[in-house]
């Protein structure tokens, strides 16, 4: 059947993680082990729509080039494998062996959701599920996406966990990753409704407050798109005290299910999000695979408490200069733009204008054109109150904007087809990745 978006599916991105085949959504089990970054992810290897969930697996030495590995976790008699996290159990608290990588994840069995664990003794390449599964069952319909972190607060229950339960986040503690005690909860009266998902709790060293709680709601973003929300606060090991209201991490339509990397060799959190919106994730143009992760990002708090977001990779040293203001796409190549003043960029495909990026002293925006899917063609904008370097990454089918030194980020999918063109106006440096 011919559709209005025939020919609009982009080529595979050059510097973003995508599945080798099939479907990808939430990043899972993000961790840094033995010099490599590991990204597991929600995966349907047999179709390009959401289906029986597995954990796919890729690893990288530089957060740009990714090596794919066999599927890490597959459905079993306990259910399909929903989202979760992974930690390094250096002291063998769970009994799988010193230094074991332990994953905790939701299993869904015909709508019944429970939490299970699995262990790997070879850095995440092969896994054994625990005979103790499920390790946590609660009386709730929607209870999923456990994020585990190691605590150093002197409590013998060295593991903390945040879990999405309905329209709130629960906080748990454990000494062995198998037995969990509920300690507290956090909720907020949001303008958007719906079930909360994919929570995370991250330290922000040198900041006051010193923690960041994040979670996701499928309709909390601009124009009703999916969104990751963040609220700074203080965490004493069992309770979280917010210092402000939840606010979007990203002001574009396509940034969801954000998770931080466990044991990252950085002072501040390194995170990754799924670039998509549940409004059209199962139906947008594709070429035999569907789903892409954002570039990894570094989070920090400004002195005024504002969340700052920047690429976690030094893109200048990874890129080469391009002389000119117009560029035509090449396979396996992305464009990187830096500017310290107002600028504008237009992306055009074979069927006309695809998207416009505009940054002024007051705002940063992405405007998408075209009748691709319902809810797609909109203007997405973030207010700016200060100056700073603007960074823009335009890859095959993706746009990521980091404006004013990270004051605002915007992420959006685009569908220009396999060949497209960029024109940049303003005092901007163009480089190729």
């Amino acid at each position: 059947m011919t559709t209005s978006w025939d020919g609009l599916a982009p080529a595979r991105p050059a510097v973003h993680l995508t599945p080798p085949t099939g479907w990808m959504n939430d990043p899972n089990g993000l961790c840094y082990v033995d010099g490599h970054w590991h990204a597991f992810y929600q995966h349907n290897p047999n179709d390009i729509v959401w289906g029986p969930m597995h954990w796919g697996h890729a690893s990288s030495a530089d957060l740009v080039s990714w090596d794919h590995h066999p599927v890490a976790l597959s459905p079993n008699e306990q259910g399909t494998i929903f989202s979760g996290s992974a930690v390094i159990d250096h002291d063998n608290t769970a009994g799988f062996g010193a230094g074991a990588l332990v994953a905790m994840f939701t299993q869904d069995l015909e709508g019944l959701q429970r939490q299970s664990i699995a262990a790997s003794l070879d850095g995440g390449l092969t896994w054994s599920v625990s005979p103790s599964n499920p390790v946590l069952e609660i009386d709730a319909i929607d209870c999923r996406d456990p994020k585990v972190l190691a605590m150093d607060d002197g409590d013998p229950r060295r593991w903390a966990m945040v879990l999405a339960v309905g329209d709130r986040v629960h906080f748990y503690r454990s000494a062995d990753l198998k037995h969990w005690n509920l300690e507290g909860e956090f909720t907020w009266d949001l303008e958007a409704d719906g079930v909360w998902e994919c929570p995370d709790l991250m330290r922000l060293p040198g900041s006051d407050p010193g923690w960041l709680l994040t979670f996701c709601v499928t309709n909390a973003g601009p124009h009703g798109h999916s969104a990751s929300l963040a609220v700074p606060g203080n965490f004493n090991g069992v309770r979280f005290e917010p210092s402000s209201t939840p606010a979007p991490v990203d002001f574009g339509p396509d940034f969801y299910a954000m998770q931080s990397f466990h044991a990252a060799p950085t002072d501040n959190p390194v995170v990754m999000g799924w670039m998509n919106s549940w409004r059209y994730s199962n139906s947008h143009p594709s070429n035999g695979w569907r789903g892409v992760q954002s570039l990894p990002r570094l989070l920090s708090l400004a002195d005024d408490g504002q969340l700052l977001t920047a690429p976690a990779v030094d893109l200048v040293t990874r890129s080469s200069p391009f002389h000119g203001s117009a560029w035509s796409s090449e396979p396996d190549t992305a464009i990187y733009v830096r500017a310290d003043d107002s600028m504008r960029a237009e992306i055009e495909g074979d069927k006309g204008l695809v998207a416009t990026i505009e940054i002024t002293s007051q705002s940063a925006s992405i405007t998408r054109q075209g009748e691709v899917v319902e809810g797609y063609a909109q203007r997405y904008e973030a207010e700016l109150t200060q100056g700073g370097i603007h960074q823009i990454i335009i890859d095959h089918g993706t746009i990521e904007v980091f404006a004013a030194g990270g004051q605002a980020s915007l992420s959006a999918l685009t569908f220009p087809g396999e060949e497209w063109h960029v024109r940049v106006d303003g005092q901007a440096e163009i480089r190729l990745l």
Side-chain angles (χ1 to χ4, degrees), residues 50 69 130 143 224 263 291 297 360 377 432:
W50 190 94
H69 305 293
S130 172
C143 51
R297 304 174 177 193
T360 69
L432 301 183

Side-chain angles (χ1 to χ4, degrees), residues 45-320:
N46 302 313
D47 206 341
I48 59 170
V49 295
W50 190 94
M53 285 293 97
H54 302 59
W55 271 23
H57 181 202
S59 65
S60 174
D62 59 9
L63 292 174
V64 174
S65 301
W66 293 89
D67 296 319
H68 292 282
H69 305 293
V71 169
L73 295 171
S74 299
N76 59 22
E77 66 279 2
Q78 299 277 4
T80 56
I81 313 297
F82 277 16
S83 291
S85 56
V87 292
I88 304 171
D89 187 10
H90 292 288
D91 298 326
N92 194 25
T93 63
F96 298 114
L101 189 61
V102 180
M104 187 166 185
F105 49 91
T106 301
Q107 291 203 260
D108 181 271
L109 185 63
E110 299 179 350
L112 175 63
Q113 295 178 358
R114 302 172 295 180
Q115 317 315 312
S116 293
I117 58 175
S120 173
L121 296 174
D122 57 9
L125 295 178
T126 60
W127 292 84
S128 298
V129 297
S130 172
S132 303
N133 289 335
V135 297
L136 179 62
E137 296 182 86
I138 64 175
D139 185 17
I141 296 175
D142 295 300
C143 51
R144 54 182 176 263
D145 312 337
K147 173 65 176 185
V148 179
L149 63 156
M151 298 296 295
D152 54 4
D153 56 358
D155 191 319
R157 301 171 305 165
R158 66 183 63 186
W159 305 108
M161 177 180 68
V162 286
L163 183 73
V165 181
D167 62 350
R168 62 201 61 225
V169 170
H170 281 185
F171 300 91
Y172 291 83
R173 291 297 294 261
S174 173
D176 61 4
L177 296 169
K178 297 177 180 178
H179 302 89
W180 294 91
N181 296 318
L182 177 63
E183 301 290 346
E185 67 176 42
F186 170 84
T187 189
W188 200 273
D189 186 13
L190 299 173
E191 292 184 6
D193 56 8
V195 174
W196 293 16
E197 296 185 304
C198 304
D200 203 336
L201 188 60
M202 313 170 205
R203 294 180 180 85
L204 296 171
S207 300
D208 185 17
W211 291 84
L212 188 72
L213 177 66
T214 63
F215 59 95
C216 302
V217 182
T218 58
N219 59 358
H223 305 287
H225 286 285
S226 307
S228 294
L229 304 177
V231 53
N234 287 304
F235 182 61
N236 66 2
V238 294
R239 287 176 175 78
F240 179 80
E241 294 294 335
S243 61
S244 64
T245 62
V249 174
D250 189 284
F251 294 89
D254 297 312
F255 188 77
Y256 193 71
M258 182 181 77
Q259 185 177 117
S260 62
F261 281 85
H262 170 71
T266 56
D267 292 334
N268 284 76
V270 176
V271 301
M272 179 185 282
W274 176 46
M275 287 190 68
N276 222 319
S277 169
W278 279 115
R279 292 185 64 174
Y280 44 63
S281 58
N282 280 287
S283 59
H284 65 63
S286 63
N287 269 330
W289 55 271
R290 186 179 278 142
V292 57
Q293 304 295 342
S294 73
L295 281 177
R297 304 174 177 193
L298 196 67
L299 301 184
S300 61
L301 282 186
D303 292 340
D304 63 0
Q306 182 173 23
L307 182 65
L308 302 178
T309 310
V313 178
D314 184 351
L315 296 176
V316 172
T317 61
R318 289 200 57 87
S319 59
S320 59

